[in-house]
Amino acid sequence: MSASSDVAELRRRVADLERQLLQAQKLTTVGELASSITHEFNNVLTTVINYAKLGMRHKDDASRDKAFDKILAAGQRASRITTGLLSYARRGTERREATDLVKLVTDVLILVEKDLEHHRVRLELKIESQPVPSEVNAGQIQQVMLNLLVNARQAMANGGVLTVVVRGDAKAGLAEISVRDTGPGIPPDVLTKLFQPFFTTKQADEKGQGGNGLGLSLCREVVESHTGRITVQSRLGEGTTFSVTLPLAAAAVELSPAAAVLQRRGRSVARAG
Ligand code: ADP
């Protein structure tokens, strides 16, 4: 056998192994999610059943009110879980096309601009190169951005600075989007659980609004299905940075009208030198 056919055979085997590995990873994710959902719903049902029994046993108003409160909170939690699961299901078609990530990011920022202002969060957008083309499913990557932006805003309960950087690294063939906040940072023990489905530190408030712990696990799943990576760096008392890297595409894409609008407004957009 010639050296070149050896190399071709080796390449074929590596490609096969990669495919098998990807498939195995996919199955792990689906399996992990299914067992987490079962676990979470069992917890909710146990609460509902136990407090319903308690409410039936105790006839006094205070015990019944307490039981109703617990049942209501469990129902609201179940509803947050199903809403979160819907965004998994509604990820739309798998169609991917060359998209300018600068345009995509600025479109999402326009959606959250008012909310940031309302919570005294100053936005800094740094576009280090433009366009930054990547072959993506735009809806899915928008969802990733939205999750990261909402988390960052929620981390800055007393206001702060949100820095979003978009850049393309032609040499490395990578597009990168990072979202940095000046929130409290993430303790090391939380950092290791961050991407697990249903992991949340956000307690429900009186309206039943809280976390469902699905945001970051959805982000990771979407980014990895695009053969990208999502990483996090955090320092207690200083803040947190999430970075998403995706393969950079060679295709030409349209320049962003939304970026132009944000830049014309001038106030919060910085172009890094
Ligand atoms: P949820 O927002 O519903 O809690 P996520 O999966 O999006 O679910 O986030 C999981 C947890 O990660 C959050 O509850 C929070 O503890 C932590 N987290 C995420 N983003 C940040 C951030 N920017 N700063 C601090 N903690 C964060």
Side-chain angles (χ1 to χ4, degrees):
M1 202 185 261
S2 73
S4 69
S5 67
D6 273 356
V7 171
E9 170 63 13
L10 209 60
R11 281 216 179 104
R12 200 186 52 74
R13 278 201 214 153
V14 170
D16 261 3
L17 281 174
E18 274 175 350
R19 259 196 304 277
Q20 282 172 25
L21 193 66
L22 254 181
Q23 191 57 29
Q25 279 167 345
K26 242 197 235 160
L27 289 177
T28 322
T29 317
V30 174
E32 268 171 17
L33 190 65
S35 66
S36 309
I37 295 168
T38 312
H39 179 74
E40 288 301 312
F41 269 97
N42 274 339
N43 283 347
V44 169
L45 290 176
T46 308
T47 308
V48 171
I49 292 167
N50 286 344
Y51 278 99
K53 282 183 184 162
L54 200 84
M56 279 157 70
R57 261 204 320 271
H58 293 88
K59 306 286 179 219
D60 63 298
D61 285 350
S63 303
R64 288 203 157 185
D65 283 355
K66 185 181 169 208
F68 276 135
D69 278 350
K70 295 282 185 191
I71 292 170
L72 181 66
Q76 284 167 333
R77 173 153 175 73
S79 148
R80 282 199 303 279
I81 293 172
T82 46
T83 311
L85 286 172
L86 275 180
S87 36
Y88 260 98
R90 279 205 205 114
R91 274 183 296 139
T93 61
E94 288 300 315
R95 211 162 80 93
R96 293 180 187 169
E97 50 197 1
T99 306
D100 178 12
L101 295 183
V102 173
K103 173 170 167 17
L104 184 147
V105 168
T106 45
D107 283 349
V108 179
L109 286 175
I110 282 174
L111 285 183
V112 298
E113 235 189 341
K114 280 273 162 298
D115 184 54
L116 294 175
E117 228 173 87
H118 180 71
H119 289 90
R120 287 170 294 125
V121 172
R122 184 161 58 82
L123 170 66
E124 281 191 12
L125 172 62
K126 296 185 178 169
I127 300 167
E128 296 194 356
S129 47
Q130 189 180 9
V132 177
S134 185
E135 194 82 25
V136 296
N137 179 305
Q140 293 180 357
I141 302 296
Q142 276 168 353
Q143 182 73 52
V144 168
M145 280 310 296
L146 205 56
N147 286 348
L148 296 181
L149 293 169
V150 170
N151 277 346
R153 201 274 287 150
Q154 290 177 339
M156 295 183 280
N158 302 314
V161 183
L162 176 75
T163 311
V164 179
V165 184
V166 191
R167 61 188 205 98
D169 180 344
K171 257 203 202 130
L174 291 176
E176 185 181 2
I177 307 170
S178 66
V179 175
R180 183 167 80 229
D181 65 61
T182 54
I186 305 174
D189 60 318
V190 172
L191 216 47
T192 56
K193 302 183 198 130
L194 226 52
F195 293 96
Q196 287 172 9
F198 302 112
F199 173 78
T200 181
T201 58
K202 294 171 192 166
Q203 301 296 327
D205 61 17
E206 66 284 357
K207 287 189 217 137
Q209 304 280 315
N212 60 23
L214 282 172
L216 287 177
S217 82
L218 177 75
C219 289
R220 191 182 65 178
E221 155 130 2
V222 165
V223 171
E224 290 184 355
S225 76
H226 282 78
T227 64
R229 284 190 68 202
I230 178 163
T231 55
V232 57
Q233 282 184 316
S234 192
R235 268 175 186 273
L236 283 180
E238 288 181 23
T240 302
T241 307
F242 282 89
S243 299
V244 170
T245 49
L246 293 163
L248 192 69
V253 285
E254 264 181 50
L255 287 181
S256 158
V261 171
L262 273 181
Q263 283 191 334
R264 263 203 309 278
R265 285 191 211 154
R267 99 192 116 46
S268 55
V269 181
R271 186 180 267 276

